[in-house]
Amino acid sequence: GTTTTVLEATDPCWVEVVPGLPAWAPDGRVAHVVDDSGARRIALDGTPLTPASLQVTAVLDVAAHGLLVTATDEPTAQRLLHVGWDGALADLSPADGRHSGVVGGDVLVRSSSALGRTGALVVVERPGQAPHRVASHAEVPAVTPEVRLLTTGPHEVRTAVLLPSGHVPGSRRLPVLLSPYGGPHAQRVVQAGQAFLESQWFADQGFAVVVADGRGTPARGPDWERAVSGDLATAPLQDQVDALAGVAEAFPDDVDTTRVGIRGWSFGGFLAALAVLRRPDVFHVAIAGAPVTDWRLYDTAYSERYLGHPDVAPEAYEASSLLPDAASLSRPLMLVHGLADDNVVVAHTLALSGALLAAGRPHTVLPLTGVTHMTPQEHVAENLLRLQVDFLHRHLGGA
């Protein structure tokens, strides 16, 4: 029953867990992750192994010859790398884009995505043999995303812009629709065409769609992620405002910043509702899907990771809650929530709706019977998209 501590990690905010580590190196040292020199790095017994120019995102395999990892030096991309135990790097990524893989013995199966296609390219590689491409029989999407990537604002927020298919630059000024997630653990602005199918569909309904990954999102390093510690509202919202300003500067003849909507789901729903409550000068209509409205109602492990214990830091929960802002609503807001949601429970939307009603603020609530956190039912998903477009057009007007 005796135990011995071989590794201990502490952090004033939180300790980030990277999939695949810790693990034993062949020589008995411990391979683990350290946040060092502004980067998330692999280390051996505390000594960094990977360079500070790379943000390590996952360790896919640990073997006698080294580690198979995903890492990035540009947050929209992802490289597949072999890292030797001596720190030697071999880039297994064939081109720009996002790459991952699995390995068994001397066989590597690599999956690659890029902006120029809407599906993953899967290749099997083995030493001494020509690479074998795995055929895909997936249905071809009905839309083809046309993505323009920008960096916007003082924090160089990675931002994607999608205009209607066939749009002639300068021919008309389009209403703008921001479509963020904007929170921890998920990126939306990535070099993968399939990530923008829904955004292109909305663009084809007559919008300039803007997707931005602000502070708190992954793959930008420890300081970027910890910018939301103690406050999940201020930095994510400001980065959406800055992204909109950057897009307006880059496309002055194509976007109309007097007609700006925002829609999102989960953390993105929280961010959408937050936008019209706190910045009605910028955002004119919002659709909030399955929004977290009060972090006291959300999963304890998640909420306390970012905001601390509610009895110790009640001010952090108050600053990140939508409920105190209910009386300030002056813009159209649609709340959408699955009644069977077991992640962000429907109590979140009911609490905000109740606060809005108590303040005499008109709003729309769309309950989805039998729907959980996401919307897997095809007929629900399709009709929900159409209802959202109709709501946006009614309050922003057509292009």
Side-chain angles (χ1 to χ4, degrees):
T2 301
T3 61
T4 302
T5 300
V6 295
L7 177 69
E8 185 175 80
T10 61
D11 188 272
C13 296
W14 61 80
V15 174
E16 190 68 31
V17 177
V18 170
L21 292 181
W24 293 109
D27 62 3
R29 289 180 293 175
V30 178
H32 61 104
V33 166
V34 294
D35 291 340
D36 176 79
S37 302
R40 185 149 295 134
R41 307 169 71 177
I42 297 174
L44 291 174
D45 283 353
T47 302
L49 184 67
T50 53
S53 58
L54 287 176
Q55 305 288 347
V56 174
T57 54
V59 173
L60 308 175
D61 186 66
V62 180
H65 50 75
L67 308 104
L68 184 69
V69 310
T70 54
T72 181
D73 53 7
E74 158 52 47
T76 64
Q78 180 170 276
R79 297 161 65 186
L80 182 64
L81 302 170
H82 180 271
V83 181
W85 294 113
D86 60 354
L89 293 176
D91 195 339
L92 307 179
S93 313
D96 291 340
R98 294 180 65 83
H99 308 277
S100 187
V102 293
V103 66
D106 61 356
V107 177
L108 169 68
V109 180
R110 186 184 64 248
S111 176
S112 302
S113 298
L115 284 175
R117 56 176 178 268
T118 54
L121 175 64
V122 180
V123 176
V124 180
E125 296 184 354
R126 190 168 191 171
Q129 297 183 11
H132 173 73
R133 179 174 176 176
V134 178
S136 172
H137 300 283
E139 185 174 354
V140 177
V143 297
T144 302
E146 299 176 18
V147 186
R148 300 153 178 87
L149 296 181
L150 309 174
T151 58
T152 56
H155 298 285
E156 298 185 339
V157 171
R158 298 308 192 265
T159 305
V161 180
L162 297 96
L163 303 177
S165 300
H167 174 76
V168 177
S171 61
R172 52 179 174 154
R173 300 184 72 204
L174 302 159
V176 185
L177 176 62
L178 278 77
S179 186
Y181 178 77
H185 305 295
Q187 291 174 265
R188 292 211 57 208
V189 184
V190 293
Q191 294 181 29
Q194 60 266 33
F196 296 99
L197 291 170
E198 186 176 86
S199 295
Q200 186 64 58
W201 184 85
F202 270 98
D204 289 345
Q205 312 311 307
F207 299 97
V209 177
V210 177
V211 186
D213 286 342
R215 282 168 288 173
T217 57
R220 290 289 296 268
D223 294 342
W224 182 269
E225 294 173 4
R226 286 168 172 74
V228 299
S229 179
D231 184 352
L232 286 166
T234 303
L237 178 56
Q238 185 58 50
D239 287 346
Q240 296 299 315
V241 173
D242 291 343
L244 175 63
V247 170
E249 183 178 353
F251 298 89
D253 299 322
D254 300 290
V255 302
D256 183 354
T257 56
T258 68
R259 297 184 292 161
V260 178
I262 182 170
R263 63 177 290 273
W265 205 269
S266 197
F267 193 99
F270 159 74
L271 194 49
L274 182 73
V276 289
L277 287 169
R278 296 193 184 176
R279 294 302 304 269
D281 57 317
V282 176
F283 301 96
H284 308 105
V285 59
I287 298 172
V292 177
T293 64
D294 187 340
W295 292 98
R296 295 177 184 87
L297 299 174
Y298 194 59
D299 288 351
T300 302
Y302 187 104
S303 298
E304 293 186 11
R305 171 187 176 95
Y306 298 108
L307 300 179
H309 194 285
D311 292 341
V312 176
E315 70 285 352
Y317 285 80
E318 191 74 4
S320 301
S321 175
L322 301 180
L323 304 186
D325 296 294
S328 65
L329 182 67
S330 60
R331 298 294 192 183
L333 170 63
M334 175 188 281
L335 303 172
V336 185
H337 219 121
L339 297 181
D341 194 329
D342 56 354
N343 182 358
V344 182
V345 295
V346 73
H348 285 271
T349 282
L350 296 179
L352 179 56
S353 179
L356 291 168
L357 183 61
R361 301 302 180 190
H363 60 286
T364 300
V365 178
L366 178 60
L368 304 177
T369 304
V371 172
T372 56
H373 190 54
M374 305 308 290
T375 314
Q377 299 94 327
E378 183 177 342
H379 67 284
V380 174
E382 179 179 347
N383 290 324
L384 181 57
L385 289 173
R386 297 186 185 281
L387 286 170
Q388 291 178 72
V389 168
D390 178 67
F391 185 78
L392 293 167
H393 276 158
R394 278 191 283 119
H395 294 289
L396 295 179

